[in-house]
Amino acid sequence: MKRLTRPAFWVPLLSALPVVSLLALGNAPAQATYTARAAPRFIAIDLGTLGGPNSAPNDPGHSITESGIVVGSAETAALDPGCLSSPCHASHAFEWRNGHMTDLGALHGYQSGLFELNGAGVGVGFSETGVLDPLTGAPEAHAVISRHGQLIDLGTLGGHQSWANSINDRGQVAGWAANKVRDRWAHLFVPYPSATQVRATLWQGGKPRNLGTLGGPDSLSGFVNQRGQVAGESFTNFKKNPATGVPTMDPFLWQHGAMKDLGTLGGTFGFTN
């Protein structure tokens, strides 16, 4: 079997945190001044892992719901043979609730993760598919949603990579997906390198909608609100500018089927947070 390899700049979304911790607000002590015996205002709850050494939330995203459900990625006991660092553990998307961490698995790959849940408990994230991108040699990763303890592949726009990290209560999912058009810039801005254009994408009912660009080859969308408005960033042309070495990138707001350029403060690079 062909060994999975990753480029040196690829970094898993797990941060250097030893474990995920959840801060729970407790009752404030009655004393006017604190003493050694005063009850703590907060307690730290170790959410654990899936058998490996580390776990963490994934950013950007709302990793905790109002009811205290936490999502993220947690390492398993299994090793990922494609990582450049050694040892490197496989990481799976997890959902933690009521003191229990549930392993949501992966789409036959070694790495997966969730960014957030909507009000209906549907999660959004990514997962490796278990095959290599034939154009880059890197693992394929696809946008996913989680429902009833399982990951569901949202697919791409014809390319080999996709990603999603925001979902609203309508079930609309924001992210990006690769198409089939070869591109020299896309690999610079996505966690898994793509040799083809990536486009801001809005999934609804499992079907992807290409949101287009501001005139350049690539765009990314990271956020969708309850009204279905999408925020992201897009190249505005195909020409490398001397300030950044890449085409000019502006933040955008997409609504009513149109992408609006939000401009910059005079520079050639802007993005949404």
Side-chain angles (χ1 to χ4, degrees):
M1 181 175 69
K2 186 174 180 180
R3 177 180 173 81
L4 296 180
T5 57
R6 293 195 176 92
F9 60 81
W10 187 92
V11 180
L13 288 185
L14 286 180
S15 68
L17 298 175
V19 291
V20 179
S21 293
L22 172 65
L23 292 179
L25 179 64
N27 293 324
Q31 297 94 326
T33 58
Y34 292 98
T35 67
R37 294 183 179 180
R41 294 187 61 194
F42 297 91
I43 57 172
I45 301 173
D46 184 350
L47 306 191
T49 72
L50 295 174
N54 301 298
S55 58
N58 291 319
D59 295 319
H62 301 286
S63 301
I64 182 171
T65 69
E66 296 296 330
S67 59
I69 304 171
V70 181
V71 295
S73 294
E75 292 183 342
T76 70
L79 297 180
D80 181 348
C83 280
L84 296 179
S85 60
S86 181
C88 179
H89 288 259
S91 298
H92 286 177
F94 75 80
E95 186 177 300
W96 183 95
R97 66 174 74 201
N98 300 325
H100 177 70
M101 179 179 286
T102 300
D103 185 350
L104 300 180
L107 300 176
H108 308 293
Y110 289 97
Q111 307 288 336
S112 65
L114 290 185
F115 291 95
E116 62 186 33
L117 297 176
N118 68 7
V122 178
V124 65
F126 76 98
S127 175
E128 292 182 355
T129 64
V131 300
L132 298 181
D133 182 336
L135 301 180
T136 65
E140 282 189 3
H142 284 185
V144 298
I145 59 171
S146 66
R147 182 181 285 126
H148 306 306
Q150 293 185 326
L151 299 182
I152 300 171
D153 191 345
L154 293 180
T156 71
L157 293 173
H160 297 280
Q161 307 286 354
S162 62
W163 193 267
N165 55 285
S166 183
I167 184 171
N168 63 19
D169 289 343
R170 301 181 184 182
Q172 295 173 306
V173 174
W176 56 263
N179 61 24
K180 296 181 179 181
V181 181
R182 294 300 290 261
D183 178 59
R184 61 182 294 197
W185 307 112
H187 72 279
L188 298 174
F189 297 100
V190 293
Y192 287 80
S194 175
T196 60
Q197 293 176 347
V198 297
R199 295 296 177 88
T201 303
L202 184 68
W203 285 269
Q204 187 162 16
K207 296 181 179 180
R209 178 174 182 173
N210 182 349
L211 302 187
T213 74
L214 294 174
D218 303 296
S219 59
L220 306 171
S221 59
F223 310 97
V224 59
N225 66 13
Q226 300 298 354
R227 299 172 62 183
Q229 297 171 306
V230 177
E233 45 275 345
S234 171
F235 287 135
T236 63
N237 54 57
F238 287 74
K239 184 179 179 180
K240 179 173 69 173
N241 67 64
T244 62
V246 299
T248 297
M249 176 177 279
D250 284 3
F252 71 79
L253 174 67
W254 182 92
Q255 60 181 344
H256 308 308
M259 182 179 288
K260 179 181 180 180
D261 189 341
L262 300 182
T264 69
L265 297 175
T268 59
F269 190 85
F271 56 93
T272 56
N273 273 324

